[in-house]
């Protein structure tokens, strides 16, 4: 690529709320520019994982190179980054945005601006992007493009008078989007003659090629056979293969400034290729590293254990392989008395947890069980030290703790007016503190500070059910605050079940404990002896349910004769049950664990 043509490159991403039509718009752009033939086209062409197609969400950011002959007679190279819209994958979004100069902001013309539209737009503005608003689904009877344009101007503060009105489903007005990209987004800047400086945008493991590294070239040229150095890890690799995605891999001889492509260099571990790292030439390195990305902070932790203890080694191998493709997922080994050996895993949110668990089960044929999700607490001890607590079962003695602090989030909820009362009540019930309430068109925008502990459990599901699916929710972690938190243990037959212990606020402990005991009473099958199920804080029992014993009719063979014969048999049975209860092991079925952990309030 020659120096003159850097002006003909456009790197852009598509940002939007879930379900506003990003992936469908990406399909149309690919189709319109003839990047794939009609036969190769399929719905959501960039969502390559089965799970993405089934759920209709994008999980991994994908990239594709399009060539577009514009009306001004020049042919432009467009590098499109399709990003996830869900809050749990904001990390994927942030890295894709760093590799681009502009964004298409897709807003559903019938739904208007949603909570994550805001979050993703602010990320794009932080990355100094030029933004082109696109109104999708204008062919729907409920579409109100003029109202939505006003909303974009009011809420986000972007000029929407030039917004492109399209229907990604029918292909209406797609060319106008391409023209807007070419005319309204800036070309990248870069020095072809300078030393190589490239940003590592993403990396994943391929069974044939080893680690494939997605890069955005800032300065210089990357060629086949070059020796490159990863500045973060100081590792040197030879470049074996260079190419671009059209969505299939196509080999090229070199990548110049402003271009987005991939290379492979017999790299064994994805852990060696840190996202946000700077790649430079080994012999002629660039002066300074790029600022890179913030290291990802897991916010939700849970234990994953194999249902069959013999699958532990397979689980370990699967975790390692999944970690290759998902840099935001972290894990360490742990063991539990109830569940055996497993892993304590960190996730960016509940959807992320669900997706990782589903990918492990699907791609590696594992049967897994997960413990209750918990957040990271910080404990200030009396000796002045501070420790992080990931698992409630590891909590030190209460006498040593001076204070427990928990993470709080700033949540933005957009909801139609008629559900506002229920949404406010839900936030109040979850110990929320109202910060702001105003109106965006006909919808209320509520801003609350909430403890993350109350949100990870089932807040999102509850919010969707009370608003009939209309409310949208986005959050960012703000700080740690001190709370009156206690550890609640669940005892079955006087034995603590470590997988079910949790940290709860003192005021809510009793309700949570009672609900848990009632649930377990239904779920644990009756044994030959009576089983007490208790919730306790320290030595104090706060709730109890009893599972009745199964009775065998020992007097069945006794007919006629003296009543003492029957009594003798019953006494014998009673003594046997008493002994059984002391030594009997209560089998808690796996379903009971899973159902108890999914407990509704």
């Amino acid at each position: 690529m020659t120096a003159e043509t850097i002006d003909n490159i456009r790197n852009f991403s598509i940002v939007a709320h879930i379900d506003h039509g990003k992936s469908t718009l990406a399909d149309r752009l690919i189709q319109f520019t003839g990047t794939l033939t009609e036969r190769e086209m399929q719905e959501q062409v960039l969502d390559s994982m089965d799970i993405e197609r089934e759920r209709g969400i994008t999980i991994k950011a994908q990239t594709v190179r399009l060539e577009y002959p514009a009306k001004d007679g020049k042919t432009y190279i467009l590098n499109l980054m399709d990003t996830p819209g869900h809050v749990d994958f904001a990390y994927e979004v942030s890295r894709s945005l760093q590799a681009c100069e502009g964004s298409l902001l897709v807003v559903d013309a019938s739904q208007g601006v949603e909570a994550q539209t805001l979050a993703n737009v602010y990320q794009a503005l932080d990355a100094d992007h030029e933004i082109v608003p696109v109104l999708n689904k204008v062919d729907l009877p409920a579409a109100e493009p003029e109202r939505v344009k006003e909303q974009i101007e009011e809420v986000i503060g972007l000029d929407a008078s030039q917004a492109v009105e399209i229907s990604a489903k029918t292909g209406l007005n797609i060319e106008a989007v391409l023209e807007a990209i070419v005319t309204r987004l800036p070309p990248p800047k870069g020095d072809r003659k300078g030393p190589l400086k490239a940003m590592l945008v993403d990396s994943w493991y391929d069974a044939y090629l080893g680690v494939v590294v997605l890069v955005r070239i800032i300065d210089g040229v990357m060629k086949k056979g070059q020796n490159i150095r990863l500045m973060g890890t100081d590792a040197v690799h030879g470049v074996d293969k260079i190419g671009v995605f059209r969505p299939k891999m196509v080999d090229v001889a070199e990548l110049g400034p402003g271009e987005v492509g991939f290379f492979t260099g017999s790299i064994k571990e994805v852990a060696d290729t840190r996202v946000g790292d700077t790649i430079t030439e080994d012999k002629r390195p660039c002066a300074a590293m790029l600022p890179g990305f913030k290291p990802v902070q897991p916010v939700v932790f849970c234990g994953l254990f194999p249902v069959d203890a013999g699958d532990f080694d397979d689980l370990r191998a699967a975790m390692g392989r999944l970690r290759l493709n998902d840099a935001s997922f972290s894990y360490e080994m742990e063991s539990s008395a109830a569940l055996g050996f497993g892993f304590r895993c960190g996730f960016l949110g509940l959807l992320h947890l669900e997706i990782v668990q589903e990918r492990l089960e699907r791609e590696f044929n594992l049967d897994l069980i997960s413990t209750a999700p918990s957040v990271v607490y910080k404990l200030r001890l009396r000796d002045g030290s501070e420790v992080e607590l990931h698992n409630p079962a590891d909590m030190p003695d209460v006498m040593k703790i001076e204070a427990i602090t928990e993470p709080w989030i700033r949540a933005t909820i957009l909801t139609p007016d008629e559900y506002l009362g229920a949404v406010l009540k839900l936030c109040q019930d979850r110990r929320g503190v109202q910060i702001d309430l105003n109106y965006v068109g006909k919808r209320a925008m509520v801003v609350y500070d909430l403890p993350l502990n109350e949100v990870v459990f089932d807040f999102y599901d509850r919010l969707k059910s009370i608003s009939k699916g209309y409310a949208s929710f986005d959050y960012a972690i703000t700080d740690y605050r001190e709370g009156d938190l206690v550890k609640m243990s669940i005892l079955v037959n006087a034995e603590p079940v470590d997988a079910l212990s949790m940290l709860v606020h003192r005021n809510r402990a009793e309700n949570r404990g009672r609900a848990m005991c009632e649930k377990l009473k239904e779920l644990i099958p009756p044994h030959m002896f009576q089983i007490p199920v208790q919730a306790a804080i320290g030595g104090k029992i706060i709730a109890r349910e009893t599972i009745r014993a199964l009775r065998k009719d020992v007097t069945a063979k006794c007919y006629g004769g003296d009543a003492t014969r029957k009594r003798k048999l019953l006494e014998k049975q009673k003594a046997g049950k008493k002994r059984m209860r002391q030594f009997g092991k209560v089998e808690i079925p796996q379903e009971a664990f899973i159902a108890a952990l999914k407990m509704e309030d």
Side-chain angles (χ1 to χ4, degrees):
M1 170 160 289
T2 55
E4 304 83 74
T5 52
I6 188 166
D7 295 336
N8 292 2
I9 300 177
R10 297 289 182 274
N11 295 323
F12 69 100
S13 66
I14 304 180
V15 293
H17 186 75
I18 316 151
D19 246 6
H20 280 201
K22 287 187 301 295
S23 298
T24 315
L25 175 57
D27 287 356
R28 289 299 150 274
L29 296 174
I30 291 169
Q31 211 172 352
F32 191 90
T33 53
T35 306
L36 287 177
T37 60
E38 287 296 327
R39 211 181 83 205
E40 295 167 311
M41 263 322 276
Q42 51 171 341
E43 294 277 306
Q44 271 94 34
V45 98
L46 294 182
D47 289 348
S48 49
M49 288 195 272
D50 298 342
I51 189 166
E52 291 183 309
R53 300 180 156 283
E54 272 170 39
R55 290 176 172 240
I57 56 176
T58 304
I59 296 166
K60 293 293 290 176
Q62 297 283 358
T63 134
V64 60
R65 172 174 172 143
L66 316 170
E67 289 186 9
Y68 170 59
K71 290 182 177 166
D72 59 8
K74 295 182 192 160
T75 297
Y76 288 87
I77 289 171
L78 313 178
N79 290 310
L80 152 67
M81 303 267 183
D82 183 23
T83 59
H86 202 282
V87 58
D88 286 10
F89 305 109
Y91 178 67
E92 292 276 342
V93 179
S94 69
R95 2 189 259 212
S96 302
L97 295 180
Q98 294 291 339
C100 305
E101 284 80 33
S103 292
L104 297 181
L105 165 65
V106 177
V107 181
D108 183 329
S110 57
Q111 303 274 349
V113 175
E114 303 262 3
Q116 269 145 352
T117 317
L118 291 174
N120 290 339
V121 160
Y122 291 145
Q123 270 192 307
L125 289 169
D126 286 346
D128 289 336
H129 276 202
E130 191 62 47
I131 293 175
V132 174
V134 175
L135 301 187
N136 190 15
K137 310 190 188 181
V138 291
D139 56 331
L140 293 183
E144 301 177 69
E146 291 311 314
R147 180 181 67 78
V148 174
K149 281 184 191 175
E150 277 175 31
Q151 234 183 2
I152 292 175
E153 291 184 353
E154 266 174 45
V155 182
I156 306 172
L158 280 176
D159 174 20
S161 56
Q162 302 262 304
V164 187
E165 297 182 20
I166 64 159
S167 163
K169 194 172 174 189
T170 60
L172 170 76
N173 224 355
I174 293 298
E175 191 170 5
V177 177
L178 288 159
E179 282 297 321
I181 293 167
V182 167
T183 52
R184 289 162 62 181
L185 297 183
K189 297 183 177 68
D191 173 14
R192 194 179 166 80
K193 298 189 173 66
L196 174 67
K197 184 182 207 174
M199 177 165 70
L200 199 157
V201 182
D202 200 359
S203 57
W204 60 93
Y205 189 78
D206 181 290
Y208 299 104
L209 301 169
V211 177
V212 179
V213 182
L214 182 66
V215 289
R216 154 74 203 267
I217 312 288
I218 312 286
D219 294 325
V221 180
M222 184 180 276
K223 295 183 182 140
K224 215 167 165 174
Q226 213 174 20
N227 276 345
I228 51 120
R229 177 189 295 274
L230 299 167
M231 294 178 86
T233 52
D234 224 25
V236 176
H237 296 281
V239 176
D240 299 341
K241 176 182 169 89
I242 287 190
V244 293
F245 290 99
R246 321 187 47 172
K248 297 193 198 65
M249 293 182 163
V250 179
D251 287 11
V252 295
E254 58 172 47
L255 289 173
E259 291 195 86
V260 176
F262 71 88
F263 78 88
T264 63
S266 55
I267 304 171
K268 304 283 185 296
E269 289 275 327
V270 172
D272 303 338
T273 52
R274 290 202 203 120
V275 167
D277 201 349
T278 308
I279 299 172
T280 187
E281 214 174 327
D282 187 31
K283 295 279 183 284
R284 192 172 67 138
C286 59
M289 282 177 70
L290 293 160
F293 302 105
K294 299 194 286 287
V296 56
Q297 287 293 327
V299 292
V300 178
F301 282 82
C302 90
L304 288 179
F305 295 86
V307 169
D308 174 2
D311 289 343
F312 176 71
D313 286 334
D314 296 344
L315 176 61
R316 177 187 298 176
M319 292 260 187
R321 287 186 54 192
L322 195 65
R323 174 90 174 91
L324 293 180
N325 285 347
D326 188 348
S328 50
F329 159 64
S330 59
Y331 64 93
E332 57 191 38
M333 214 180 109
E334 75 165 350
S335 66
S336 144
L339 302 170
F341 285 106
F343 291 94
R344 187 90 195 148
C345 308
F347 306 94
L348 301 180
L350 279 187
L351 180 75
H352 188 210
L353 181 158
E354 226 177 286
I355 298 284
V356 165
Q357 191 176 345
E358 204 166 317
R359 282 183 69 185
L360 285 169
E361 286 175 350
R362 269 199 196 180
E363 294 171 23
F364 304 100
N365 294 331
L366 293 164
D367 273 343
L368 297 178
I369 179 171
S370 64
T371 62
S374 71
V375 299
V376 185
Y377 299 94
K378 290 186 177 165
L379 309 183
R380 220 173 38 248
L381 303 181
R382 293 197 184 280
D383 61 8
S385 61
E386 196 175 85
V387 291
E388 283 193 353
L389 179 70
H390 293 191
N391 185 353
D394 302 335
M395 187 156 155
D397 181 15
V398 189
M399 300 311 292
K400 294 181 180 168
I401 300 172
E402 190 173 306
I404 304 178
T405 57
E406 59 179 338
W408 279 64
I409 60 169
R410 173 71 48 94
T412 308
I413 301 169
L414 283 156
T415 173
D417 202 22
E418 60 264 39
Y419 309 117
L420 180 61
V423 169
L424 293 176
K425 183 178 183 310
L426 174 70
C427 293
Q428 292 295 357
D429 289 350
R430 297 300 172 95
R431 301 193 279 133
V433 179
Q434 189 174 328
I435 302 297
D436 191 13
L437 168 59
N438 53 39
Y439 278 83
V440 178
K442 291 178 189 162
R443 291 173 22 210
M445 183 161 109
V446 192
V447 181
Y448 257 88
D449 277 0
L450 287 156
L452 183 63
N453 178 19
E454 302 285 349
V455 174
V456 297
F457 219 55
D458 57 355
F459 182 84
Y460 196 62
D461 300 344
R462 306 276 305 151
L463 179 69
K464 284 292 180 203
S465 63
I466 59 175
S467 66
K468 300 196 171 47
Y470 283 111
S472 65
F473 167 67
D474 181 67
Y475 67 85
I477 290 189
T478 49
D479 57 353
Y480 273 77
R481 301 184 195 174
E482 203 170 304
D484 186 8
L485 300 168
V486 289
K487 176 184 167 185
M488 182 175 81
S489 317
I490 301 290
L491 310 169
V492 175
N493 201 13
E495 296 261 321
V497 182
D498 56 354
L500 295 178
S501 60
M502 57 176 89
L503 275 184
V504 290
H505 195 264
R506 197 181 296 275
N507 300 346
R508 308 208 38 203
E510 202 171 309
N511 294 347
R512 197 54 84 73
R514 194 170 294 134
M516 200 69 148
C517 291
E518 281 168 11
K519 192 83 174 222
L520 285 169
K521 182 185 176 182
E522 293 162 25
L523 295 166
I524 297 175
H527 287 51
M528 293 303 291
F529 51 92
Q530 190 176 322
I531 305 170
V533 178
Q534 297 161 314
I537 295 176
K540 183 183 169 200
I541 303 294
I542 54 169
R544 168 179 171 138
E545 291 287 336
T546 305
I547 299 169
R548 302 248 326 250
L550 283 172
R551 277 198 62 183
K552 181 181 173 191
D553 190 359
V554 287
T555 60
K557 60 179 187 287
C558 254
Y559 43 89
D562 192 0
T564 55
R565 285 178 63 200
K566 283 190 176 178
R567 195 171 305 126
K568 200 163 147 193
L569 285 168
L570 288 169
E571 289 295 331
K572 195 172 168 189
Q573 183 187 31
K574 200 166 160 188
K577 282 189 186 272
K578 196 171 174 185
R579 195 169 67 250
M580 235 168 139
R581 194 182 141 192
Q582 278 174 334
F583 300 107
K585 275 269 175 263
V586 177
E587 288 296 320
I588 304 179
Q590 303 272 279
E591 300 80 64
F593 268 119
I594 295 166
L597 299 176
K598 285 189 172 162
M599 186 186 72
E600 292 280 319
D601 275 348

